[in-house]
């Protein structure tokens, strides 16, 4: 399954390096992404800087045309990249628009599903 993920390195809610929430430990973003790259059997990682506060990580090729992509927002909080109104605690990057990036990602990876019996 293709995976797209955005995460701020200064997220005060879900810490980039892992942590504990509601008494349960959760993995770092790197560990969590590794789970997806293993499932999708991705073979190579590439990275590129997008502005001064965003790094894009891609793992391709993966099985059946899938990909895993992660946008690391350096100093970013628990916010929606590109938001024009407050979207959560911490810094919001304007370097990328999560909405535009997601639209393009989902266009490349349409949901394969059977047609609705009612014709829509």
């Amino acid at each position: 399954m293709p995976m797209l993920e955005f995460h701020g390195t200064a997220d005060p809610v879900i810490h980039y390096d892992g942590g504990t929430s509601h008494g349960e430990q959760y993995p770092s973003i790197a560990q969590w992404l590794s789970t997806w790259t293993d499932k999708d059997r991705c073979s190579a990682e590439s990275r590129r800087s997008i502005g001064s506060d965003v790094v894009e990580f891609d793992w391709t090729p993966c099985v059946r045309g899938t990909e895993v992509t992660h946008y690391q927002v350096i100093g970013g909080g628990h916010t929606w990249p590109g938001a024009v109104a407050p979207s959560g605690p911490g810094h919001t990057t304007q370097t990328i628009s999560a909405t535009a990036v997601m639209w393009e990602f989902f266009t490349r990876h349409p949901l394969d599903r059977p047609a609705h019996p009612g014709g829509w």
Side-chain angles (χ1 to χ4, degrees):
M1 173 173 285
M3 170 58 69
L4 173 64
E5 199 270 346
F6 303 86
H7 212 98
T9 60
D11 187 327
V13 179
I14 302 296
H15 300 138
Y16 198 86
D17 293 325
T20 304
S21 177
H22 304 288
E24 297 290 326
Q25 286 195 307
Y26 58 87
S28 69
I29 297 304
Q31 292 168 320
W32 186 77
L33 288 165
S34 179
T35 300
W36 282 101
T37 60
D38 289 349
K39 286 179 183 181
D40 283 347
R41 296 191 299 247
C42 304
S43 61
E45 175 190 319
S46 66
R47 65 179 77 191
R48 71 181 177 111
S49 292
I50 303 174
S52 62
D53 66 339
V54 177
V55 179
E56 176 188 58
F57 294 83
D58 286 307
W59 289 266
T60 56
C62 307
V63 294
R64 294 189 300 269
T66 63
E67 69 179 282
V68 176
T69 302
H70 164 62
Y71 287 87
Q72 177 189 62
V73 181
I74 299 164
H78 194 77
T79 61
W80 188 259
V84 295
S87 60
H91 171 72
T92 301
T93 184
Q94 295 301 314
T95 302
I96 60 170
S97 163
T99 304
V101 170
M102 287 179 71
W103 184 262
E104 194 273 329
F105 186 86
F106 291 141
T107 299
R108 280 196 325 274
H109 300 286
L111 180 63
D112 292 327
R113 61 184 167 119
H116 186 275
W120 52 272

